[in-house]
Amino acid sequence: MIFYLCFGLSFLLFSSAVRTECDDKSRKFVGLLFFFIVFLFMGLRSPEVGNDSMQFYQAYTRIKVTPWTNYTSERYEFGFFALCKVLGIFFPHPQTLFLFTGLVFAFSVYRFIRMYSNNVALSCVLFLFLNLWAVYMNLIRQILALCIILYFLDALFHQKRLQFCLGVFLSSLFHRSALVCLVMLVFYKKPFKKKFLIFYIPFTAFCFWKYDWIFTLGTIILHRYEGYRFSQAFGASNYFGMLFHSLICFSILFYGVLLHQGKEGETAKGLTPDFQIYMLLCCLFCYTLGMRMYILSRITPYFTIFYLTWLGEAEPFVKMEKFPLENIPKDKSNFILKRVYPLESYFIVLVSSAYFCIVHLFRPEWQGIVPYRFFWQ
């Protein structure tokens, strides 16, 4: 855990020492720097880092020698099978899978933050401290699906619905759960009104009560995952864990509402606060159902990514403000520029880092990324 904390705090100190949001080049540089390091740590990690990493490490070795006609012998979707086959032709070592997915994911999340966050440096730090990085190191197929969804978000915001649907279909070739992102078509232009909660709360309560109906419907649509119903790892309830994550999600949603008050109704390139509220409510819905059946919470990565842009509305780590001067000659300027450090962004980092430490001190088995090891260790 110290490994991740040192990285996060070092980046925070760097972001506080320079004006990372002063111009477009600075924003681009700080994002590239952070996610280049993320790529290295993801790509060079040991298969023992992450609860699911070893199974993908071993699957790569099997799939690269499996004939194309026998792709159904593996439980993975065709997109993931094809990726391992193609990579295996040129790079036989299974570490290649971590390097490739690390590169794709680091670039995809960097692009998402760069396009839609108003505070790139803060979003980068939150990517670590809100445990998004930890979760995504376990879910290789889902992060590949998420990368495709993030790329096609721009098409959705420009009302290219068919193009976005194509992106969802392509992402489902890596993980069929990506089909849930079709819900974005419903909400991307819909203004949020409080009366929506009159429907949302009882609907969530009903689904919590009849969670097995939701899971059965999902297995009928996806033609997969029926076996998870009787799995102790995925079919069991997880009240404490999911309640904890639900409270985190609700807190982020509520605090973000305060951050967005009095600001523009739209962030860069069409990502509206209303759309982000709907996405966080979808995330909260999935965590609620995950209390009854853990596997249902695995849909949340498609929505937790909006934590970064939602809280990215906070002030930068350092900015320049004008301070008036007194008793100066009339021919001189009557103000000076002074560096100031807004408290709200540091408060967000403090709380999120405490959350990170609590999870990895008391529940390290949730993601299994501590301690960190390189693959040669």
Side-chain angles (χ1 to χ4, degrees):
M1 188 181 72
I2 301 299
F3 176 84
Y4 301 100
L5 282 176
C6 289
F7 170 53
L9 294 177
S10 298
F11 182 79
L12 176 63
L13 289 174
F14 167 76
S15 303
S16 302
V18 298
R19 294 171 58 195
T20 54
E21 302 297 324
C22 65
D23 55 49
D24 193 60
K25 288 184 178 180
S26 299
R27 289 163 52 84
K28 185 180 295 185
F29 171 75
V30 73
L32 283 173
L33 175 64
F34 180 87
F35 281 102
F36 175 72
I37 299 173
V38 166
F39 155 65
L40 292 179
F41 289 161
M42 290 187 74
L44 300 179
R45 76 184 191 270
S46 164
E48 297 176 357
V49 177
N51 294 329
D52 296 343
S53 297
M54 183 60 76
Q55 66 167 288
F56 293 116
Y57 190 87
Q58 296 170 344
Y60 184 89
T61 303
R62 294 194 310 269
I63 292 174
K64 70 180 182 181
V65 297
T66 302
W68 285 93
T69 53
N70 291 343
Y71 83 90
T72 55
S73 62
E74 295 286 340
R75 66 183 184 87
Y76 305 116
E77 287 83 354
F78 180 75
F80 180 76
F81 180 89
L83 174 65
C84 292
K85 286 291 292 181
V86 173
L87 290 177
I89 295 173
F90 304 99
F91 308 101
H93 198 286
Q95 194 68 31
T96 305
L97 181 62
F98 294 160
L99 285 165
F100 178 82
T101 54
L103 177 62
V104 171
F105 184 64
F107 175 78
S108 180
V109 179
Y110 158 72
R111 178 180 177 273
F112 174 75
I113 291 175
R114 174 73 183 77
M115 291 178 64
Y116 300 117
S117 176
N118 291 328
N119 191 336
V120 171
L122 177 59
S123 294
C124 288
V125 175
L126 293 179
F127 174 73
L128 169 62
F129 286 151
L130 288 179
N131 277 315
L132 271 65
W133 188 8
V135 172
Y136 297 158
M137 272 204 280
N138 282 286
L139 308 175
I140 287 181
R141 291 181 297 145
Q142 279 175 266
I143 68 170
L144 290 171
L146 176 63
C147 289
I148 298 174
I149 295 295
L150 294 181
Y151 179 80
F152 281 92
L153 268 182
D154 193 50
L156 177 64
F157 298 148
H158 286 85
Q159 302 189 44
K160 299 177 181 178
R161 299 179 183 87
L162 290 178
Q163 191 172 333
F164 178 75
C165 289
L166 173 63
V168 173
F169 169 74
L170 291 175
S171 64
S172 70
L173 296 179
F174 290 91
H175 204 284
R176 294 188 189 182
S177 64
L179 293 173
V180 74
C181 292
L182 290 173
V183 73
M184 296 179 183
L185 288 167
V186 178
F187 295 121
Y188 84 102
K189 278 292 184 180
K190 187 179 178 65
F192 179 78
K193 297 181 180 179
K194 293 180 181 178
K195 65 181 181 181
F196 174 78
L197 298 176
I198 299 175
F199 163 79
Y200 174 82
I201 294 174
F203 178 75
T204 302
F206 175 78
C207 292
F208 177 82
W209 176 40
K210 295 294 184 181
Y211 69 97
D212 53 333
W213 292 5
I214 304 297
F215 186 77
T216 301
L217 177 62
T219 57
I220 292 173
I221 295 174
L222 300 177
H223 303 289
R224 288 177 72 96
Y225 310 123
E226 176 62 31
Y228 284 133
R229 181 189 297 275
F230 308 104
S231 167
Q232 291 186 351
F234 299 108
S237 60
N238 184 6
Y239 283 101
F240 172 76
M242 294 303 103
L243 178 61
F244 182 72
H245 288 304
S246 296
L247 292 175
I248 295 297
C249 182
F250 177 79
S251 300
I252 290 172
L253 175 60
F254 180 76
Y255 191 78
V257 170
L258 300 179
L259 286 177
H260 282 78
Q261 283 184 350
K263 296 187 178 180
E264 295 292 331
E266 182 174 296
T267 55
K269 297 194 177 182
L271 182 61
T272 63
D274 290 345
F275 178 77
Q276 293 178 86
I277 290 175
Y278 283 121
M279 294 301 98
L280 294 184
L281 287 175
C282 288
C283 182
L284 189 58
F285 174 81
C286 295
Y287 276 137
T288 302
L289 266 61
M291 295 182 197
R292 302 300 302 274
M293 183 178 285
Y294 171 69
I295 188 61
L296 294 173
S297 69
R298 285 211 162 187
I299 303 174
T300 56
Y302 301 113
F303 306 115
T304 53
I305 192 69
F306 293 99
Y307 287 176
L308 307 180
T309 53
W310 184 241
L311 294 179
E313 196 69 24
E315 295 285 351
F317 289 124
V318 58
K319 65 178 182 178
M320 307 299 290
E321 284 193 355
K322 295 179 180 180
F323 283 82
L325 292 173
E326 298 179 356
N327 301 323
I328 60 172
K330 294 183 178 180
D331 59 337
K332 302 294 184 181
S333 174
N334 62 348
F335 65 86
I336 60 170
L337 288 175
K338 185 177 180 180
R339 292 168 65 92
V340 296
Y341 300 88
L343 290 179
E344 67 179 28
S345 53
Y346 289 95
F347 172 76
I348 294 173
V349 171
L350 177 64
V351 174
S352 62
S353 59
Y355 162 65
F356 179 87
C357 292
I358 289 171
V359 169
H360 293 289
L361 274 175
F362 299 103
R363 286 293 186 271
E365 71 277 6
W366 281 357
Q367 282 94 39
I369 66 163
V370 292
Y372 181 87
R373 301 183 186 90
F374 291 102
F375 75 91
W376 58 80
Q377 292 179 309

